[in-house]
Amino acid sequence: MDNDPQRQARVPRDFESLRSTIIERKASMPKRLAQVAAFALGNPDEIAFGTTASIAAASDVQPSTLVRLAHHLGYEGFSDLQSIFRERLRDRTLSYEERLVTLEQASGDDEDANLLSGFIAAASQSVNRLAATVQSDTFTKAVDILAAAETIYLIAKRRSYPLTAHMTYAFAKLNIRHQIVASPNGVDPEMVQFATPKDAAIAASFSPYAADSLSQSQELADRGVPIIAITDSAFSPLAACATHWFEVAEADFAGFRSLSASMALTMALPVAITERRRKLQHAKAGKAKME
């Protein structure tokens, strides 16, 4: 048992802090620890529900590796680490009715005002976090790829779908050729077959990741189509197949998770792509005149 109070104080006691710690230490982790850490962030429900044996089998490591990971991160043992995932599950799996009850209990005298301020605070926290962590060079490289693409494919399902719905509107208004992969008749797999390496894709998915988004993105990546991903972790399966990716950690209020930071990013991309193309066209026109 670790009796160092300072070390114990540094041990992450919530899932977001744990996720950040794992990402920071990813490069320096031994191979097997990095393997099980990636599995943990990609399959948090499995960690919360599973036994040491079942988790070890699913992540293809020995049970002792789970204990080693826990100790590496500063926990007393694997059960101590597992408690963080169970707490996350308790917070994330509230039914909508339970979430509303939670809101009612926490609302106080001015229920409507407190509810509104809670969502505004979560949105503000999300945007501020993105502003502090987003890398401008990654944004520039992503815009370079997307501006050069003949067609931009937009991939997102479930909670992430509003991001591509907005980009579809923006791209249409800005005359950017695009294809949203969201057919009502179930022909999404056929849609992505038309993409070539001259195209590009923007894909968005957050834990628990949408299986269709992952499979479609992986298929495009395998065929040489550049992928710009918006996701929540360096260990996200979407980040693994992306050419460039943005980490967006959205805050929530009473279990209702914001899309504010992700939406800010997807509002910026179409405008940046348009500006890049405009400058490239002006440069080509100027070069043609000189010739």
Side-chain angles (χ1 to χ4, degrees):
M1 181 180 296
D2 189 345
N3 294 318
D4 183 348
Q6 291 186 343
R7 179 176 174 81
Q8 284 296 306
R10 295 193 297 268
V11 175
R13 299 317 310 183
D14 63 83
F15 183 76
E16 288 301 322
S17 299
L18 173 60
R19 185 180 64 84
S20 298
T21 298
I22 290 175
I23 292 172
E24 289 171 3
R25 299 185 186 180
K26 174 186 176 185
S28 62
M29 280 186 183
K31 181 179 178 180
R32 287 299 184 187
L33 296 192
Q35 177 181 329
V36 73
F39 178 84
L41 292 189
N43 303 272
D45 292 356
E46 173 70 21
I47 302 298
F49 282 122
T51 63
T52 302
S54 68
I55 295 168
S59 56
D60 195 26
V61 298
Q62 295 296 320
S64 60
T65 306
L66 302 180
V67 179
R68 286 172 52 212
L69 175 64
H71 290 163
H72 182 81
L73 296 172
Y75 295 94
E76 295 183 2
F78 180 68
S79 61
D80 190 19
L81 172 61
Q82 190 178 39
S83 68
I84 306 301
F85 289 85
R86 288 177 173 171
E87 182 66 18
R88 167 199 172 273
L89 189 65
R90 185 191 68 79
D91 293 339
R92 293 287 295 275
T93 57
L94 292 175
S95 69
Y96 278 90
E97 183 177 350
E98 289 171 327
R99 295 177 193 183
L100 293 173
V101 170
T102 300
L103 284 174
E104 291 173 0
Q105 292 174 343
S107 293
D109 295 333
D110 197 341
E111 179 179 341
D112 291 339
N114 289 336
L115 188 152
L116 177 60
S117 65
F119 279 106
I120 291 173
S124 178
Q125 181 181 347
S126 298
V127 172
N128 289 337
R129 185 181 296 163
L130 177 64
T133 59
V134 69
Q135 296 181 345
S136 59
D137 61 333
T138 301
F139 186 80
T140 298
K141 292 174 182 176
V143 172
D144 287 340
I145 289 173
L146 295 168
E150 291 183 354
T151 301
I152 299 174
Y153 287 79
L154 304 175
I155 300 172
K157 304 290 187 290
R158 302 175 62 178
R159 186 174 69 87
S160 305
Y161 177 77
L163 304 177
T164 50
H166 172 76
M167 283 190 287
T168 296
Y169 175 82
F171 283 154
K173 290 294 186 180
L174 295 170
N175 296 316
I176 297 174
R177 184 186 296 175
H178 65 283
Q179 176 64 61
I180 185 169
V181 184
S183 61
N185 55 355
V187 295
D188 291 1
E190 287 77 10
M191 281 183 174
V192 298
Q193 288 180 4
F194 291 101
T196 74
K198 293 182 179 180
D199 302 317
I202 301 175
S205 190
F206 306 93
S207 180
Y209 307 104
D212 286 346
S213 294
L214 299 182
S215 62
Q216 290 159 9
S217 298
Q218 187 62 60
E219 179 184 346
L220 291 176
D222 291 343
R223 297 213 313 270
V225 179
I227 307 293
I228 306 303
I230 301 171
T231 190
D232 54 4
S233 169
F235 291 112
S236 162
L238 195 55
C241 68
T243 309
H244 299 292
W245 64 279
F246 297 95
E247 181 180 358
V248 183
E250 299 279 7
D252 72 85
F253 177 60
F256 294 90
R257 192 161 292 274
S258 169
L259 272 178
S260 302
S262 305
M263 188 61 76
L265 182 58
T266 55
M267 291 176 70
L269 282 170
V271 177
I273 293 165
T274 303
E275 282 298 294
R276 183 64 48 80
R277 290 185 173 183
R278 184 180 64 81
K279 290 178 181 178
L280 290 173
Q281 289 172 354
H282 286 176
K284 287 181 180 179
K287 185 178 179 180
K289 287 181 180 180
M290 291 178 64
E291 294 175 349

